[in-house]
Amino acid sequence: MLRVIRIQDVCDKIALSRTSLWRLCKTTDFPRPIQLGGRVAGFLEHEIDAWLEQQAAQRTKAQEVK
């Protein structure tokens, strides 16, 4: 089952402000939001979780190289 989480929940999960979240969406491979209607947007939780796992894996690889 797909779960959609709101923007503030994403900010809390990745510990960034709304401004930083939107900047991240525009400049990297961060998952894109989906429109839920009008001005309301959300993110698919499994995509956010996958992105976080990818970031953690990159950190681990960088530490192994040192």
Side-chain angles (χ1 to χ4, degrees), residues 13 30 38 43 57 66:
K13 193 168 197 160
F30 193 80
F43 292 81
K66 288 183 179 182

Side-chain angles (χ1 to χ4, degrees), residues 29 51-64:
D29 62 348
W51 182 83
L52 284 169
E53 289 174 10
Q54 178 186 19
Q55 298 306 305
Q58 288 177 355
R59 178 191 67 186
T60 303
K61 283 183 182 179
Q63 289 174 347
E64 290 174 357

Side-chain angles (χ1 to χ4, degrees), residues 10-54:
V10 174
C11 292
D12 293 342
K13 193 168 197 160
I14 64 172
L16 290 176
S17 69
R18 290 173 73 96
T19 302
S20 296
L21 172 63
W22 292 122
R23 191 175 299 127
L24 192 61
C25 287
K26 289 181 181 180
T27 60
T28 66
D29 62 348
F30 193 80
R32 301 286 185 246
I34 57 173
Q35 288 303 123
L36 301 174
R39 295 177 48 187
V40 179
F43 292 81
L44 296 174
E45 186 173 36
H46 74 275
E47 291 180 352
I48 302 301
D49 292 340
W51 182 83
L52 284 169
E53 289 174 10
Q54 178 186 19

